[in-house]
Short mmCIF file of all heavy atoms in Angstrom, two decimals:
data_model
loop_
_atom_site.label_atom_id
_atom_site.label_comp_id
_atom_site.label_asym_id
_atom_site.label_seq_id
_atom_site.Cartn_x
_atom_site.Cartn_y
_atom_site.Cartn_z
N ALA E 138 28.09 -3.06 11.34
CA ALA E 138 28.51 -4.41 11.64
C ALA E 138 29.93 -4.43 12.18
O ALA E 138 30.25 -5.10 13.15
CB ALA E 138 28.42 -5.28 10.39
N ARG E 139 30.80 -3.63 11.53
CA ARG E 139 32.19 -3.61 11.94
C ARG E 139 32.35 -3.00 13.33
O ARG E 139 33.14 -3.46 14.14
CB ARG E 139 33.01 -2.83 10.92
CG ARG E 139 34.46 -3.23 10.89
CD ARG E 139 35.15 -2.68 9.66
NE ARG E 139 34.67 -1.36 9.34
CZ ARG E 139 34.50 -0.93 8.11
NH1 ARG E 139 34.76 -1.70 7.10
NH2 ARG E 139 34.07 0.31 7.89
N SER E 140 31.57 -1.96 13.59
CA SER E 140 31.69 -1.29 14.88
C SER E 140 31.24 -2.18 16.01
O SER E 140 31.66 -2.03 17.15
CB SER E 140 30.90 0.01 14.89
OG SER E 140 29.54 -0.25 15.16
N ARG E 141 30.35 -3.12 15.69
CA ARG E 141 29.89 -4.04 16.71
C ARG E 141 31.04 -4.92 17.20
O ARG E 141 31.03 -5.44 18.30
CB ARG E 141 28.77 -4.92 16.15
CG ARG E 141 27.43 -4.25 16.20
CD ARG E 141 26.82 -4.38 17.58
NE ARG E 141 25.67 -3.49 17.75
CZ ARG E 141 25.73 -2.34 18.42
NH1 ARG E 141 26.87 -1.96 18.96
NH2 ARG E 141 24.68 -1.60 18.55
N LEU E 142 32.03 -5.10 16.32
CA LEU E 142 33.14 -5.94 16.67
C LEU E 142 34.17 -5.21 17.52
O LEU E 142 34.94 -5.82 18.24
CB LEU E 142 33.83 -6.46 15.39
CG LEU E 142 32.94 -7.25 14.45
CD1 LEU E 142 33.71 -7.63 13.19
CD2 LEU E 142 32.41 -8.50 15.13
N GLN E 143 34.14 -3.89 17.41
CA GLN E 143 35.09 -3.11 18.19
C GLN E 143 34.40 -2.62 19.45
O GLN E 143 33.21 -2.52 19.49
CB GLN E 143 35.58 -1.90 17.38
CG GLN E 143 36.23 -2.28 16.09
CD GLN E 143 36.44 -1.07 15.23
OE1 GLN E 143 35.90 0.00 15.51
NE2 GLN E 143 37.22 -1.22 14.18
N GLU E 144 35.19 -2.31 20.44
CA GLU E 144 34.56 -1.80 21.63
C GLU E 144 34.72 -0.30 21.76
O GLU E 144 34.00 0.35 22.50
CB GLU E 144 35.13 -2.49 22.86
CG GLU E 144 36.64 -2.46 22.93
CD GLU E 144 37.15 -3.25 24.14
OE1 GLU E 144 36.66 -2.97 25.22
OE2 GLU E 144 38.00 -4.13 23.97
N ASP E 145 35.67 0.25 21.02
CA ASP E 145 35.90 1.67 21.13
C ASP E 145 34.66 2.45 20.76
O ASP E 145 34.26 3.38 21.45
CB ASP E 145 37.07 2.07 20.21
CG ASP E 145 37.50 3.50 20.47
OD1 ASP E 145 37.57 3.89 21.65
OD2 ASP E 145 37.74 4.22 19.50
N ALA E 146 34.06 2.07 19.65
CA ALA E 146 32.90 2.80 19.18
C ALA E 146 31.68 2.51 20.05
O ALA E 146 30.79 3.32 20.16
CB ALA E 146 32.60 2.45 17.73
N SER E 147 31.68 1.34 20.67
CA SER E 147 30.49 0.98 21.43
C SER E 147 30.34 1.81 22.70
O SER E 147 29.25 2.01 23.19
CB SER E 147 30.50 -0.51 21.75
OG SER E 147 31.55 -0.78 22.63
N VAL E 148 31.46 2.30 23.20
CA VAL E 148 31.39 3.14 24.39
C VAL E 148 30.58 4.38 24.11
O VAL E 148 29.79 4.84 24.92
CB VAL E 148 32.80 3.56 24.85
CG1 VAL E 148 32.73 4.27 26.19
CG2 VAL E 148 33.71 2.36 24.94
N ILE E 149 30.79 4.90 22.91
CA ILE E 149 30.13 6.14 22.54
C ILE E 149 28.62 5.92 22.38
O ILE E 149 27.84 6.85 22.53
CB ILE E 149 30.74 6.68 21.23
CG1 ILE E 149 31.09 8.14 21.42
CG2 ILE E 149 29.86 6.48 20.05
CD1 ILE E 149 31.78 8.74 20.25
N ASP E 150 28.24 4.68 22.13
CA ASP E 150 26.82 4.40 21.95
C ASP E 150 26.07 4.34 23.27
O ASP E 150 24.85 4.25 23.29
CB ASP E 150 26.65 3.08 21.19
CG ASP E 150 27.20 3.19 19.78
OD1 ASP E 150 27.21 4.31 19.24
OD2 ASP E 150 27.62 2.16 19.23
N THR E 151 26.80 4.41 24.37
CA THR E 151 26.14 4.44 25.66
C THR E 151 25.68 5.86 26.02
O THR E 151 24.98 6.05 27.00
CB THR E 151 27.06 3.92 26.78
OG1 THR E 151 28.12 4.86 26.97
CG2 THR E 151 27.64 2.57 26.43
N LEU E 152 26.10 6.80 25.20
CA LEU E 152 25.68 8.18 25.44
C LEU E 152 24.20 8.34 25.08
O LEU E 152 23.73 7.77 24.11
CB LEU E 152 26.50 9.15 24.59
CG LEU E 152 28.01 9.25 24.88
CD1 LEU E 152 28.64 10.29 23.96
CD2 LEU E 152 28.25 9.62 26.33
N SER E 153 23.51 9.10 25.90
CA SER E 153 22.12 9.38 25.58
C SER E 153 22.09 10.38 24.42
O SER E 153 23.09 11.03 24.13
CB SER E 153 21.41 9.96 26.80
OG SER E 153 21.81 11.29 27.00
N PRO E 154 20.94 10.51 23.73
CA PRO E 154 20.85 11.43 22.60
C PRO E 154 21.32 12.84 22.94
O PRO E 154 22.09 13.44 22.22
CB PRO E 154 19.36 11.42 22.27
CG PRO E 154 18.90 10.08 22.70
CD PRO E 154 19.72 9.73 23.91
N ARG E 155 20.87 13.35 24.09
CA ARG E 155 21.27 14.69 24.49
C ARG E 155 22.77 14.78 24.69
O ARG E 155 23.43 15.72 24.26
CB ARG E 155 20.60 15.07 25.81
CG ARG E 155 19.60 16.25 25.76
CD ARG E 155 20.21 17.58 25.51
NE ARG E 155 19.62 18.28 24.38
CZ ARG E 155 18.40 18.78 24.33
NH1 ARG E 155 17.59 18.67 25.31
NH2 ARG E 155 17.98 19.39 23.26
N GLU E 156 23.28 13.78 25.36
CA GLU E 156 24.72 13.78 25.62
C GLU E 156 25.49 13.79 24.31
O GLU E 156 26.49 14.50 24.17
CB GLU E 156 25.11 12.54 26.45
CG GLU E 156 24.70 12.63 27.90
CD GLU E 156 24.77 11.30 28.63
OE1 GLU E 156 24.88 10.25 27.95
OE2 GLU E 156 24.71 11.30 29.86
N PHE E 157 24.99 13.05 23.35
CA PHE E 157 25.67 13.00 22.06
C PHE E 157 25.67 14.36 21.37
O PHE E 157 26.68 14.81 20.84
CB PHE E 157 24.99 11.95 21.17
CG PHE E 157 25.71 11.67 19.89
CD1 PHE E 157 26.88 10.94 19.89
CD2 PHE E 157 25.21 12.15 18.69
CE1 PHE E 157 27.55 10.67 18.70
CE2 PHE E 157 25.87 11.89 17.50
CZ PHE E 157 27.04 11.14 17.51
N GLU E 158 24.52 15.02 21.43
CA GLU E 158 24.42 16.35 20.80
C GLU E 158 25.37 17.34 21.48
O GLU E 158 26.04 18.13 20.82
CB GLU E 158 22.99 16.88 20.90
CG GLU E 158 22.00 16.14 20.02
CD GLU E 158 22.25 16.38 18.54
OE1 GLU E 158 22.56 17.53 18.17
OE2 GLU E 158 22.15 15.42 17.76
#
Side-chain angles (χ1 to χ4, degrees):
Chain E
R139 205 167 37 217
S140 83
R141 277 279 167 257
L142 301 176
Q143 301 169 348
E144 52 184 308
D145 189 42
S147 67
V148 188
I149 229 176
D150 295 332
T151 68
L152 295 181
S153 74
R155 244 292 126 69
E156 286 166 345
F157 188 73
E158 290 292 319

